Amino acid sequence: MSAGSTTLHRRRRFGWPRRVFSQVLLMQLAIAAGTAVLATGLFLRPLSDQLDDQAMRRALAIAETTASEPVARSLLASRPSVDGPVQKEAERIRRATGAEYVVIMDRRGVRWSHTDTDEIGRVVSTDPSAAIAGKDVMEIDSGTLGRSARGKVPLRDTSGKIIGAVSVGIAYDSVRERLLGTIPGLLAYAGGALAVGALAAYVISRRLQRQTHDLAFSDISALLAEREAMLHSLREGVIALDGAGRIRLMNDEAQRLLGLGPEATGQPLDVVLGPGRTTDVLAGRVAGDDLLAVSGGRVLIANRMPTDDGGAVATLRDRTELEQLGRELDATRGLIDALRAQDHEHANRMHTLMGLLELEMHEEAVEFVTEVVGVHRATAEQVTERIHDPLPAALLVGKATVAAERGVSLRISPATLLPDRLVDPQGLVTVLGNLVDNALDAAAGSEDPRIEVEVRAEGRTVVLRISDSGPGVPAEQRELVFTEGWTTKDLPAHGRRGLGLALVRRLAERQGGSARVAESPDGGAEFTVVLPEALAETADAGAGAGADEAADAAAGGAAGSAPPDGLMRDPAGPVSTGEAR
């Protein structure tokens, strides 16, 4: 191992640790130790002052007790003496109270008692004027016996006249010993508190270690930066929720797919999205993988993964284009089947025509060709007479061909009349196409398969009514059919169903309308969709109304000129018109 690597190893070993767990533990231990030392110092300082005050008050109390003794008051009746009654009484009090000294003096400051008998008869070493003047004195001072806590009081005779003073001292060493005696116990308490703090710091740090997966602060910072870059670069929507169902974070794609802004972060999911299947899927009220949801006309695939803290992370994939391609694929396959059937039918007709010509039945051949061509021309004319917008008209002509090949009679209701003033023709085509497809699927297996289409204008509102002769929709399932992902059909090639009716209701509700299903007169299902303000206003309302009335009259005339039972579907014609069932 090289010297450089050894130095680096030592730095990592003895330097500041990198892990969050170790750094937090050391910081908490340092804080706990510093707090214990500071608390001990802050406690000892007032304790020292308190012990000094207690010692001075004790000395003052002993001095007051001594001054009240009759022997002390009679000191003027004799002379200072080692064996005198004043000395004896003072020593008795000193031994009884544990004081360092008890000194009784006269007004001149001459001692009548003292622990050291050689000092009796001498003047005191400190100024007694304050006590002789009648004041109580407490102080820490030094005298012949060293430093002591002192209490001085005036000495009065029976008449109250000041005849001297009493001075009592408590050895300061004893006060210091009391202070020092409290330190071991105080340190024991501080050590116990420090141990408890260290244990709590360790427990908290271990929990933090588990939560951070023993990462370093630099690693956490890098992970946060990488997370932000990853979230905003993903082409899938990612939304994180906390345990209370509030949005914790969203990436840019999730905001786009759900139509939300950054201000939605921190708010409850039910508030920002409102009730619906998308909210139920993201909130976990609907379980499963690759769940379908529709948000703002978009088809979304959602997956939800719970997190350890009670929240969840959901991913959203935009399947709108894929679903459209799948539906187009289904439609293309159906069209191919229809073309294959038409080709077969066309071959049969050509063989029939060839046979008529070979048999030299020329008149019958002309009638046969005229009938075949006339029926198809009549189909397109019947649709365009009642539906003036080219997109829905073309859709119904195509659906009529598909219905004919599937053996289903497609009828246009006499009440159908749609002017060429659609605001959103594509939206109407989506609604009409989904409803007709569902009706064809339902009616195809019935005994007398037929569907009826009615598209009429009421002012600026367009009302669509499509009924079929299928098995119908049970009453308890009439709301479920509009739910994303709900279907009774087999899965198609692209693996998804249950979106058509959900998109129909979503488009209707977006325009303030409605979509509902009931029982048709034929016993099947009857879907009614109301699209308010689907038609643009005319430049001249009166002229527009007149034109609509003229169109109604023309339609009525066309209907009146039809046979009593209407033009019924035959094997050669896809559409018939007749009275509304």
Side-chain angles (χ1 to χ4, degrees), residues 233-266:
S233 63
L234 284 175
R235 301 315 301 164
E236 290 189 0
V238 178
I239 179 170
L241 307 173
D242 61 13
R246 293 185 296 266
I247 298 176
R248 187 150 43 192
L249 64 89
M250 290 186 297
N251 66 347
D252 299 338
E253 184 68 6
Q255 296 179 20
R256 183 183 72 85
L257 295 178
L258 297 176
L260 301 177
E263 66 278 359
T265 303

Side-chain angles (χ1 to χ4, degrees), residues 308-561:
D308 294 338
D309 60 353
V313 176
T315 59
L316 301 170
R317 299 195 304 274
D318 190 356
R319 294 287 295 267
T320 305
E321 295 182 0
L322 184 60
E323 291 296 332
Q324 290 177 351
L325 291 175
R327 296 179 67 82
E328 290 176 4
L329 177 61
D330 290 342
T332 302
R333 289 182 174 178
L335 181 59
I336 291 174
D337 293 338
L339 290 175
R340 186 181 296 112
Q342 283 187 347
D343 179 68
H344 185 268
E345 184 178 358
H346 179 70
N348 291 333
R349 290 171 180 172
M350 292 301 295
H351 292 158
T352 302
L353 179 62
M354 184 180 299
L356 291 174
L357 293 176
E358 289 180 355
L359 295 174
E360 297 182 357
M361 301 174 64
H362 301 102
E363 294 182 1
E364 288 81 356
V366 171
E367 292 177 358
F368 178 74
V369 172
T370 302
E371 181 182 0
V372 171
V373 174
V375 168
H376 286 285
R377 183 182 298 112
T379 299
E381 291 176 354
Q382 291 166 9
V383 173
T384 54
E385 281 179 0
R386 299 180 179 277
I387 298 180
H388 301 162
D389 192 282
L391 287 182
L395 173 70
L396 285 178
V397 171
K399 295 296 183 183
T401 302
V402 175
E405 299 307 326
R406 296 182 64 177
V408 178
S409 172
L410 192 152
R411 297 163 55 101
I412 303 298
S413 170
T416 295
L417 183 61
L418 182 67
D420 188 10
R421 292 187 287 113
L422 287 176
V423 176
D424 182 16
Q426 292 286 353
L428 182 65
V429 165
T430 299
V431 173
L432 185 59
N434 278 299
L435 294 177
V436 171
D437 286 343
N438 287 336
L440 285 174
D441 292 339
S446 61
E447 182 177 354
D448 182 16
R450 61 188 179 278
I451 64 174
E452 183 177 79
V453 177
E454 177 182 322
V455 184
R456 70 178 187 274
E458 297 179 356
R460 295 184 59 192
T461 300
V462 173
V463 180
L464 292 84
R465 184 183 61 82
I466 290 86
S467 60
D468 59 68
S469 59
V473 180
E476 65 274 8
Q477 296 181 356
R478 289 176 183 174
E479 284 299 318
L480 293 177
V481 296
F482 295 102
T483 304
E484 297 95 329
W486 192 90
T487 182
T488 58
K489 304 175 184 178
D490 296 333
L491 291 179
H494 56 89
R496 298 290 176 188
R497 276 200 183 275
L499 292 176
L501 292 178
L503 289 174
V504 166
R505 170 167 280 188
R506 186 63 56 88
L507 289 172
E509 291 178 347
R510 186 186 301 173
Q511 299 182 23
S514 61
R516 65 181 185 275
V517 60
E519 184 178 356
S520 71
D522 294 331
E526 181 177 273
F527 286 86
T528 303
V529 178
V530 179
L531 303 175
E533 300 184 0
L535 296 176
E537 294 181 355
T538 58
D540 186 351
D548 290 343
E549 291 174 359
D552 289 339
S561 63

Side-chain angles (χ1 to χ4, degrees), residues 205-253:
S205 299
R206 287 291 296 177
R207 185 170 184 269
L208 184 62
Q209 182 184 27
R210 290 192 299 269
Q211 291 181 342
T212 60
H213 301 283
D214 200 21
L215 294 174
F217 278 112
S218 58
D219 296 335
I220 294 177
S221 177
L223 285 175
L224 289 175
E226 293 169 0
R227 187 198 70 168
E228 290 298 318
M230 185 185 304
L231 285 176
H232 295 291
S233 63
L234 284 175
R235 301 315 301 164
E236 290 189 0
V238 178
I239 179 170
L241 307 173
D242 61 13
R246 293 185 296 266
I247 298 176
R248 187 150 43 192
L249 64 89
M250 290 186 297
N251 66 347
D252 299 338
E253 184 68 6

